[in-house]
Amino acid sequence: DVKVTQSSRYLVKRTGEKVFLECVQDMDHENMFWYRQDPGLGLRLIYFSYDVKMKEKGDIPEGYSVSREKKERFSLILESASTNQTSMYLCASSFSGRRAGELFFGEGSRLTVL
Amino acid sequence: SQQGEEDPQALSIQEGENATMNCSYKTSINNLQWYRQNSGRGLVHLILIRSNEREKHSGRLRVTLDTSKKSSSLLITASRAADTASYFCATDGGYQKVTFGIGTKLQVIP
């Protein structure tokens, strides 16, 4: 079974702290994604990556950066956390090209910024 | 901006009834997918329909796609209490970017 693992299920951070959210997939997928999910707003795409060291902005990249140094790992970085970044963060991965389609999701990381 | 918008945002039905959820999107797509999310968990893929397909079935699920109206529907037949979840449509408009809608919260009452 494909597994997408997010490093922390729950985090509590203080305003101004630097936050790292890690995501690892074991299916050799080319594509990896970070979404945030908020009540009434659904899932919104923050960043995605289609290859190692490649990244593309999603719909709400402000206040976030990402890193993909290895194919299996995609990190989301909050340089200086703010209270409006309190949310559920979901990582996903998928094949690209002719095998593109289904996204496989991790269980989510619920971040609270105080 | 989000590509898909589901309708209704919430739906409550009795066990055994059918549940229909709709999704509208804005730009051309390569494919459209439906996902399910149990409370507090990640999303699970249900079905994918490509832009050149009009209808697809998987078990109790039936998905239709009308590219001229930029809309899709998900039908769950003979619903069960275990179908209680949120359902999302997702569109792939190319360039690997997959965007989701706001979701429909389905409650199936035993």
Side-chain angles (χ1 to χ4, degrees), chain B residues 47-49 55-64 75:
Chain B
I47 196 164
L48 179 152
I49 186 165
E55 189 170 312
K56 204 160 182 181
H57 297 255
S58 177
R60 293 184 296 114
L61 305 180
R62 173 180 167 248
V63 169
T64 62
L75 169 68

Side-chain angles (χ1 to χ4, degrees), chain B residues 10-25:
Chain B
L11 181 60
S12 184
I13 59 173
Q14 295 290 131
E15 202 167 28
E17 292 181 340
N18 295 342
T20 300
M21 289 159 264
N22 303 296
C23 170
S24 59
Y25 58 92

